[in-house]
């Protein structure tokens, strides 16, 4: 039988082997933590400056001083949450003041506000004059999901969507209702989209310009959303070299405002087009100028249409879209210089006001009441 002493060197080797294995594994785990699993807190502009290794970001309430902007560029796949409001001081900085630029983000605003202090800029002139207004206020880049946040009182345009991968924006609110006071809020678009593969679902916008404006892109869905007092849900305005295709606008409610559902193509646009837009089960009411307007004469509503940016494949199908307009408004106006195809409007039920005006060019409309 070996003596205890003769076993000790072996035990010591074994122990030292274990001793070195354990720290190695622990070191590896902690490297993984800092490299890929770090939780980072954003509570100031400087604390947001380098989030590239953060896979979890918690934004606490803080105020952004004048002259500064914030970009949330976290690790791909990061979860970003808010536990307080982000408030922007009045500034002469150009927009966007807040940019999200994280691939595959999972952003949850926890129903907190991103507050632009719009009342300190609003003068009824928007981005056409008067005080310089940073715009857009907030920009969504990267890709992923954005939910449960309120963009409050943007100086002018609220949220620009320029994402580069599949993106879902749900339960996001733009509240510029305070800009109704004295008609001071102007050009306060809710969502301006220049991107593809984007779904807006259950968003709410209360503002003084387009609720949603799609400037270019394909494979876009606007669904189950609410627009109050806006200029409605728009494709456009479409400028030269900009095309929009494959859009579904479904089950939205548009209440009040100048326009309900609109396609607006710049009269001078070339190398541009709008195709495959389907309206399904929307409810539009209380519109004061145009319930549905499809026009190639923008910025005129119904003027001399251009002929170099064709529109095709417009449909009201898949469930009734009801449109009711005020006494001095039109139900449906089409002002085409270059339109084509048979447009199935069988699920459009528009009523009220002064009725319709149709200049269809080579398109035909089948079905529907207007
Ligand atoms: C090494 O660390 C991982 C994760 O921290 C743990 O799951 C695993 O059990 C550890 N292995 C050893 C040998 O301790
Ligand atoms: C950002 O932080 C990472 C590590 O967390 C570092 O490797 C990188 O150099 C930093 N970038 C800048 C611009 O400071
Ligand atoms: C047409 O527009 C596309 C972008 O949509 C652009 O890539 C292309 O260069 C334009 N063509 C011309 C002739 O301007
Ligand atoms: C037009 O749409 C209606 C309702 O969605 C549908 O029942 C009908 O078949 C369509 N007509 C044509 C010609 O596609």
């Amino acid at each position: 039988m070996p003596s205890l002493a003769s076993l000790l060197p072996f035990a010591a080797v074994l122990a030292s082997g274990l001793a070195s294995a354990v720290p190695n594994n622990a070191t590896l785990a902690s490297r993984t933590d800092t490299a890929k699993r770090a939780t980072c807190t954003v509570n100031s502009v400087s604390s947001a400056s380098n989030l590239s290794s953060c896979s979890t970001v918690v934004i606490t309430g803080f105020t952004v001083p004048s002259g500064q902007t914030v970009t949330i560029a976290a690790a791909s796949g990061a979860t970003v949450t808010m536990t307080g409001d982000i408030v922007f001081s009045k500034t002469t900085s150009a927009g966007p003041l807040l940019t999200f630029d994280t691939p595959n983000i999972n952003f949850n605003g926890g129903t907190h506000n991103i507050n632009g202090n719009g009342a300190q800029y609003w003068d009824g002139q928007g981005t056409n004059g008067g005080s310089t207004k940073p715009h857009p206020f907030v920009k969504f880049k990267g890709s992923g999901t954005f939910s449960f946040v309120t963009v409050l009182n943007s100086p002018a345009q609220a949220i620009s969507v320029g994402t580069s991968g599949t993106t879902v924006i749900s339960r996001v609110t733009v509240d510029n209702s305070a800009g109704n006071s004295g008609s001071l809020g102007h050009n306060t678009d809710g969502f301006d989209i220049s991107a593809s593969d984007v779904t807006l679902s259950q968003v709410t916008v209360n503002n003084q310009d387009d609720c949603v404006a799609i400037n270019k892109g394909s494979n876009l869905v606007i669904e189950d959303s609410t627009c109050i007092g806006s200029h409605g849900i728009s494709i456009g305005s479409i400028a030269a070299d900009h095309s929009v295709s494959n859009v579904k606008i479904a089950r939205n409610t548009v209440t009040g405002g100048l326009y309900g559902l609109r396609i607006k193509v710049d009269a001078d646009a070339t190398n541009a087009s709008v195709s495959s837009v389907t309206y399904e089960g929307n409810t539009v009411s209380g519109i004061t100028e145009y319930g549905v307007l499809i026009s190639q004469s923008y910025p005129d509503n119904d003027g001399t249409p251009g002929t170099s940016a064709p529109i095709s494949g417009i449909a009201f199908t898949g469930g009734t879209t009801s449109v009711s307009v005020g006494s001095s408004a039109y139900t449906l106006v089409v002002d085409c210089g270059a339109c084509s195809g048979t447009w199935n409007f069988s699920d459009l039920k528009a009523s009220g006001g002064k009725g319709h005006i149709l200049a269809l060019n080579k398109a035909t409309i089948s079905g529907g009441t207007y």
Side-chain angles (χ1 to χ4, degrees):
M1 195 172 169
S3 69
L4 184 59
S6 72
L7 285 174
L8 276 175
F10 174 68
V13 167
L14 187 65
S16 76
L18 283 174
S20 66
V22 170
N24 280 347
N25 194 35
T27 305
L28 184 65
S30 99
R31 268 195 211 120
T32 302
D33 280 342
T34 48
K36 289 181 186 159
R37 296 183 184 279
T39 295
C40 305
T41 300
V42 172
N43 54 13
S44 63
V45 173
S46 62
S47 62
S49 65
N50 185 0
L51 302 171
S52 62
S53 65
C54 306
S55 61
T56 302
V57 175
V58 177
I59 304 174
T60 66
F62 69 105
T63 296
V64 179
S66 185
Q68 302 197 31
T69 61
V70 176
T71 297
I72 304 296
S76 179
T79 295
V80 178
T81 54
M82 287 171 66
T83 60
D85 297 345
I86 309 174
V87 180
F88 284 80
S89 305
K90 190 181 183 190
T91 185
T92 54
S93 298
L97 299 185
L98 176 61
T99 301
F100 291 88
D101 190 4
T102 296
N104 202 19
I105 196 172
N106 176 9
F107 171 71
N108 185 328
T111 73
H112 294 287
N113 294 335
I114 301 169
N115 184 343
N117 270 314
Q120 296 184 20
Y121 306 82
W122 292 334
D123 53 14
Q125 299 192 63
T127 48
N128 302 320
S131 77
T132 301
K133 301 166 190 77
H135 64 95
F137 173 36
V138 176
K139 177 124 195 167
F140 291 168
K141 295 170 75 176
S143 62
T145 63
F146 297 85
S147 56
F148 295 108
V149 74
T150 295
V151 172
L152 181 67
N153 298 339
S154 62
Q157 290 85 354
I159 301 176
S160 165
V161 180
T163 45
S164 50
T166 302
T167 294
V168 176
I169 298 167
S170 65
R171 296 179 190 259
V172 171
T173 296
V174 173
D175 183 0
N176 279 327
S177 56
N180 290 334
S181 170
S183 299
L184 292 179
H186 198 72
N187 298 138
T188 51
D189 297 21
F191 293 86
D192 287 313
I193 301 175
S194 289
S196 294
D197 307 308
V198 176
T199 297
L200 255 65
S201 187
Q202 299 181 71
V203 307
T204 301
V205 174
N206 189 332
N207 69 339
Q208 299 83 27
D209 206 312
D210 287 328
C211 173
V212 177
I214 300 172
N215 299 116
K216 66 172 181 181
S218 60
N219 306 326
L220 303 165
V221 177
I222 314 297
E223 63 181 14
D224 302 308
S225 293
T226 302
C227 304
I228 302 162
S230 69
H231 293 184
I233 298 174
S234 298
I235 313 286
S237 55
I238 302 293
D241 304 334
H242 285 46
S243 288
V244 171
S245 64
N246 197 16
V247 181
K248 184 159 99 167
I249 295 174
R251 300 177 305 279
N252 303 287
T253 301
V254 180
T255 307
L258 304 179
Y259 307 89
L261 304 170
R262 194 159 46 141
I263 297 175
K264 43 176 170 168
V265 174
D266 291 359
D268 63 2
T270 54
N271 186 35
S273 65
V274 175
S275 59
S276 300
V277 179
T278 301
Y279 298 92
E280 165 180 318
N282 302 283
T283 303
V284 177
S285 64
I287 304 303
T288 58
E289 291 196 5
Y290 296 88
V292 179
L293 175 62
I294 300 171
S295 171
Q296 288 168 325
S297 56
Y298 192 79
D300 289 343
N301 290 315
D302 185 13
T304 304
T307 58
S308 300
I311 299 177
S312 61
I314 312 304
F316 285 82
T317 54
T320 301
T321 286
S322 67
V323 177
S324 78
V325 302
S327 56
S328 59
Y330 294 98
T331 48
L332 169 66
V333 171
V334 181
D335 181 29
C336 278
C339 294
S340 64
T342 301
W343 296 355
N344 186 346
F345 278 24
S346 64
D347 285 347
L348 173 63
K349 302 234 176 321
S351 62
K354 300 193 283 193
H356 62 269
I357 303 173
L358 302 180
L360 290 167
N361 184 248
K362 291 177 183 155
T364 55
I365 288 178
S366 71
T369 55
Y370 43 82

